[in-house]
């Protein structure tokens, strides 16, 4: 049987007072193209339902979205902090911790990368202007499937095994990992030393990726296929 991949959705506020569950179809396409069965999960997951989803799914993909409140890592809000949603943060950080406790394979993309950072004991740059020496444009203004800048991979990491020394990736973020938790390894950087990926060392497959590989892959960039294949394979053997 194909592994079932729970894709944690996001919330859009337009047209509904309770928000609208939202998910770009590129996440679904990327899972389908590499042999997984996507199951779209609510953006706000009740804690009482989390064990059910953990039992239903072989692995989890946490999608992109808005900023995470700095209250989760004991900082005051920066003047350039974007929109946040406390209920969304509480739900997704709690769920991420439960995913890690179960040892389920997990891939966090963009906001999902940041959720993984915070859930594993790390902190964020609330805006990249806080990072000394940043000079690369990390929020590109081109088509979402286009590549933007180089991403360099650290040896002895899942991503180095998949991609080698470096690739070109796309870029749509203004926050990034700052400090990491005790079981976390930084596995990728941009040339200006902004963190592009992290890996939980004690887990079989727990990656946070700052770029959007699903957008590149769904728009025909085959360089991202091995990443999703590695994730699906990890979920098959879970």
């Amino acid at each position: 049987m194909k592994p079932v991949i729970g894709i944690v959705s996001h919330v859009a506020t337009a047209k509904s007072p309770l928000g609208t569950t939202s998910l770009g179809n590129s996440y679904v396409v990327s899972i389908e193209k590499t042999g997984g069965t996507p199951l779209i999960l609510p953006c706000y997951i009740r804690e009482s339902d989390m064990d059910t989803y953990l039992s239903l799914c072989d692995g989890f993909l946490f999608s992109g979205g808005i900023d995470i409140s700095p209250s989760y890592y004991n900082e005051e809000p920066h003047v350039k902090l974007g929109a946040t949603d406390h209920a969304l943060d509480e739900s997704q950080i709690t769920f991420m911790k439960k995913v890690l406790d179960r040892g389920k394979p997990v891939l966090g993309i963009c906001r999902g990368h940041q959720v993984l950072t915070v859930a594993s004991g790390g902190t964020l740059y609330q805006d990249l202007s806080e990072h000394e020496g940043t000079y690369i444009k990390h929020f590109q203004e081109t088509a979402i499937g286009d590549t933007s800048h180089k991403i360099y991979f650290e040896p002895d990491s899942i991503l180095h095994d998949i991609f080698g020394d470096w690739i070109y990736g796309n870029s749509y973020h203004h926050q990034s990992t700052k400090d990491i938790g005790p079981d976390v390894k930084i596995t990728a950087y941009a040339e200006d030393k902004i963190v592009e990926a992290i890996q939980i060392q004690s887990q079989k497959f727990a990656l946070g990726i700052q770029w959007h590989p699903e957008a590149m892959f769904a728009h025909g960039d085959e360089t991202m296929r091995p990443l999703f294949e590695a994730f699906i394979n990890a979920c098959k053997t879970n």
Side-chain angles (χ1 to χ4, degrees):
M1 290 179 62
K2 294 181 179 179
V4 176
I5 311 301
I7 307 177
V8 180
S9 59
H10 191 56
V11 62
T13 57
K15 299 182 181 180
S16 169
L18 293 178
T20 302
T21 296
S22 173
L23 185 73
N25 202 44
S26 56
Y27 296 101
V28 173
V29 169
S30 295
I31 295 302
E32 289 179 329
K33 285 175 69 174
T34 47
T37 298
L39 177 65
I40 299 174
L41 305 185
C43 45
Y44 303 106
I45 301 175
R46 294 182 298 183
E47 191 162 3
S48 59
D49 292 333
M50 290 181 181
D51 284 344
T52 299
Y53 291 123
L54 286 164
S55 297
L56 283 172
C57 300
D58 300 296
F60 295 90
L61 191 161
F62 283 67
S63 64
I66 61 174
D67 290 356
I68 295 173
S69 170
S71 64
Y72 285 92
Y73 44 94
N74 297 315
E75 289 187 10
E76 295 296 320
H78 187 275
V79 67
K80 292 185 178 180
L81 179 70
T84 62
D85 182 328
H86 178 79
L88 187 71
D89 294 341
E90 184 68 24
S91 172
Q92 294 191 354
I93 291 170
T94 300
F95 190 51
M96 179 69 83
K97 289 178 178 178
K98 288 182 178 289
V99 170
L100 295 174
D101 286 345
R102 282 285 185 99
K104 295 274 187 173
V106 60
L107 176 62
I109 294 177
C110 199
R111 174 187 161 89
H113 161 99
Q114 294 158 12
V115 170
L116 181 60
T117 295
V118 175
S120 59
T123 68
L124 303 173
Y125 289 108
Q126 296 181 49
D127 184 78
L128 294 184
S129 61
E130 295 185 291
H131 182 275
E132 186 177 353
T134 299
Y135 62 88
I136 290 173
K137 186 178 181 68
H138 286 275
F139 207 106
Q140 69 191 59
E141 297 182 61
T142 63
I144 193 168
D146 290 352
T147 57
S148 177
H149 63 76
K150 286 183 178 179
I151 298 166
Y152 298 90
F153 301 106
E154 293 290 290
D156 300 318
S157 67
I158 292 172
L159 290 174
H160 191 276
D161 290 344
I162 293 170
F163 292 120
D165 292 336
W166 65 273
I167 59 165
Y168 273 102
N170 56 2
S171 195
Y172 288 94
H173 64 103
H174 83 111
Q175 295 195 317
S176 177
T177 297
K178 181 167 60 176
D179 302 309
I180 55 174
D183 190 32
V184 181
K185 178 180 179 177
I186 295 172
T187 59
Y189 294 93
E191 195 171 81
D192 59 1
K193 302 305 179 185
I194 291 296
V195 173
E196 290 287 337
I198 61 171
Q199 176 179 328
I200 310 297
Q201 297 188 89
S202 62
Q203 301 277 335
K204 177 174 65 175
F205 193 106
L207 300 183
I209 291 175
Q210 192 60 74
W211 74 98
H212 279 273
E214 85 293 346
M216 295 170 62
F217 185 36
H219 286 86
D221 189 336
E222 287 292 310
T223 62
M224 293 297 112
R225 177 182 288 276
L227 169 63
F228 287 98
E229 288 179 339
F231 175 49
I232 295 300
N233 285 336
C235 296
K236 286 179 180 177
T237 59
N238 186 53

